[in-house]
DNA sequence: CTGTGTGAAGGCTTTCACAGCC
DNA sequence: GGCTGTGAAAGCCTTCACACAG
C-alpha cells in the first residue's frame, strides 16, 4: 500500500475488481497481467503499475492469485463496508434509478431512502421509502449516511447540494446537468448522459 | 477549427455548450472566460485553450459573444443533436432509461426504439416502442441509426455488441459492466454506476 | 523460460506568463 | 484597463525496457 493513489488508478482498481467478479470465478486460481488487462481493456504494464499501489501481490513467472488479489483490492478500496446511500429527487431519472435499485444491490450498494420536495409521488413498484426533504437531516444522522445520489433538476441542484453538505454528506454522485460548487474534501462524480451521447456523436462522421 | 481535437477537450466543449444553454439565456450578450469557466468547473485558461480549437471567437477586452460561441460550438461538435438512438435491453436499467426518455428528449436526443430478446416485457408507462431483436436490422437500416445505448446484462453484452456492429452501429453508450471488444473506428463510452459509487466511497474515510 | 515490479523515458494535458487586441 | 490567444513550462499519466524472482 502506498501513500497516495491517483484518481484514475483508483477508478481502474475498481474496474479490475469487477472484472475478477464477473470472469474470475471459473478457471484456475491465478491470472496473468496480460489476461486481466485484456478483459479490463488496458495495457498489461498499466495493470501492473496500478496493482503496485496495493503492495506486492503477484508471483513472478506465475501471475496473480485471484483470491489474494481480490482481497487486496477490497482492502485498498475500502469496499468491505456496504455504504448506505440516499437518493435526492424522485422525478424522471430519480425514480428510474430507484427502479434499478436491485441492480445497485447486486453490486453492493443499498439505497436506504429517497427524498423529494413532494414525496407523495410514490409509485407502487418502488420498494425504497420516499420521504420528505424535512426528514433528511434526521435520517442521515440516524443511519450515518455519507453518500448521496443527486437527481434533481439543474435549477435546484446547487440548493439541494448545499442541504446535503450541511447535513454531513461527503460524496455525491451527481446526475444534474450542473457543476456543483463544493468545498474541498467533498467528492463529486458527475454523470451526464446527454453529454455522453453528444460526445459519442462527435466521433461518428 | 483545427485538425484534431483531443477527446477530453471535445467532452468539455459539450459541457460549455450545456452551461451556455442553462445559464446563458439571461444576462448580457457576452461572457468572459472567467465567468463561464466557473460555471463549468474548470480554470479560465483551460477554457480559452479549449475554445481555441473552435477558431477565433472571443473579443479581447470584452469576452465571448454568447450567440456566436454557441454557434461555433455546435459547428465544431457537428450535427450532434437529434441523432436517433436505439436502446438494447429492456431489463432493469434499460426500462429505467426508457422512462427517462423525456429527459433525453429535452437534451435533444430521441430514443427511436428499444429492442429486447423478450419484447413483451412492455410496460404501459413507456411510450417508446419495444421490438424484438429480429427487427433490429431492418429498423436500423430504415431509420439510418448510428448510435445505440446498451443495457443488457454483462454476460450477453459482447454478443449484443457484435450484432450492433454487424448492422452498422458506429457508437455505443455502454452500461453493461464489461469492456467491449470493438474494431478501431467504433466509439464506445462506458457508464458504470456501481464503479462510480465505489470510486466515491474510496474518497471518504 | 515465464511473468511481475519498477525506474526512466515518452507523451499528453494543464497551467503559466505574457503578448496582442479591444 | 480588461480580457483573449498562445508558445513555453510544468505536471501528470502511460509506456518502455529490463532487472529479478519463481
Amino acid at each position: 500500500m502506498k501513500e497516495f493513489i491517483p484518481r484514475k488508478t483508483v477508478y481502474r482498481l475498481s474496474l479490475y475488481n469487477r472484472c475478477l467478479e464477473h470472469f474470475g470465478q471459473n478457471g484456475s486460481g491465478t491470472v496473468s497481467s496480460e489476461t486481466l488487462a485484456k478483459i479490463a481493456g488496458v495495457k498489461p504494464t498499466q495493470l501492473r503499475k496500478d496493482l503496485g499501489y496495493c503492495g506486492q501481490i503477484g508471483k513472478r513467472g506465475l501471475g496473480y492469485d485471484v483470491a489474494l488479489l481480490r482481497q487486496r483490492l477490497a482492502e485498498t478500496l475500502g469496499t468491505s463496508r456496504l455504504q448506505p446511500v440516499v437518493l435526492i429527487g424522485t422525478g424522471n431519472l430519480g425514480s428510474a434509478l430507484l427502479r434499478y435499485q436491485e441492480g445497485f444491490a447486486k453490486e453492493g450498494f443499498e439505497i436506504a431512502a429517497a427524498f423529494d420536495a413532494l414525496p407523495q409521488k410514490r409509485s407502487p413498484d418502488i420498494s425504497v421509502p420516499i420521504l420528505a426533504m424535512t426528514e433528511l437531516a434526521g435520517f442521515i444522522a440516524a443511519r450515518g449516511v455519507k453518500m448521496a445520489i443527486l437527481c434533481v433538476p439543474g435549477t435546484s441542484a446547487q440548493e439541494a447540494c448545499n442541504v446535503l453538505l450541511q447535513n454531513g454528506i461527503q460524496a455525491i454522485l451527481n446526475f444534474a446537468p450542473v457543476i456543483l460548487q463544493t468545498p474541498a474534501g467533498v467528492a463529486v462524480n458527475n454523470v451526464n448522459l446527454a453529454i455522453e451521447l453528444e460526445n459519442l456523436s462527435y466521433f461518428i462522421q
Side-chain angles (χ1 to χ4, degrees), chain A residues 68-114:
Chain A
L68 176 61
L69 180 50
R70 291 197 53 187
Q71 181 197 315
R72 286 293 183 81
L73 284 171
E75 278 171 17
T76 306
L77 294 170
T79 300
S80 35
R81 52 204 146 80
L82 292 192
Q83 288 276 347
V85 179
V86 292
L87 184 146
I88 314 296
T90 57
N92 257 321
L93 185 56
S95 53
L97 291 177
L98 287 177
R99 290 194 185 84
Y100 182 55
Q101 154 77 358
E102 64 184 81
F104 283 118
K106 212 183 306 175
E107 304 283 359
F109 288 92
E110 178 207 2
I111 299 180

Side-chain angles (χ1 to χ4, degrees), chain A residues 122-193:
Chain A
R122 177 165 199 169
S123 150
D125 57 337
I126 292 177
S127 58
V128 176
I130 302 182
L131 310 174
M133 286 299 278
T134 49
E135 301 183 66
L136 182 68
F139 190 93
I140 287 177
R143 292 285 299 264
V145 177
K146 292 185 204 137
M147 296 175 51
I149 301 176
L150 189 58
C151 304
V152 302
T155 46
S156 42
Q158 185 62 56
E159 191 188 348
C161 170
N162 294 342
V163 174
L164 290 171
L165 298 180
Q166 278 160 28
N167 287 290
I169 290 291
Q170 294 166 42
I172 299 173
L173 183 54
N174 175 41
F175 286 85
V178 170
I179 301 300
L180 301 172
Q181 311 292 330
T182 55
V186 175
V188 178
N189 280 5
N190 294 295
V191 177
N192 189 320
L193 301 181

Side-chain angles (χ1 to χ4, degrees), chain A residues 12 15-16 19 23 33-44 46-47 50:
Chain A
R12 285 192 300 264
L15 177 62
Y16 304 148
C19 290
F23 287 83
S33 62
E34 193 169 335
T35 305
L36 184 53
K38 189 161 195 180
I39 294 171
V42 301
K43 292 235 158 63
Q46 170 109 264
L47 177 85
D50 286 342

Side-chain angles (χ1 to χ4, degrees), chain A residues 47-70:
Chain A
L47 177 85
R48 294 204 296 274
K49 180 133 275 183
D50 286 342
L51 294 184
Y53 286 99
C54 303
Q56 301 268 101
I57 306 177
K59 296 229 185 316
R60 305 188 185 201
L62 288 172
Y64 299 87
D65 179 85
V66 173
L68 176 61
L69 180 50
R70 291 197 53 187

Side-chain angles (χ1 to χ4, degrees), chain A residues 5-25:
Chain A
I5 307 182
R7 198 182 172 97
K8 281 190 156 184
T9 297
V10 174
Y11 197 92
R12 285 192 300 264
L13 291 177
S14 283
L15 177 62
Y16 304 148
N17 207 6
R18 305 275 155 179
C19 290
L20 288 170
E21 260 171 52
H22 291 112
F23 287 83
Q25 305 300 46

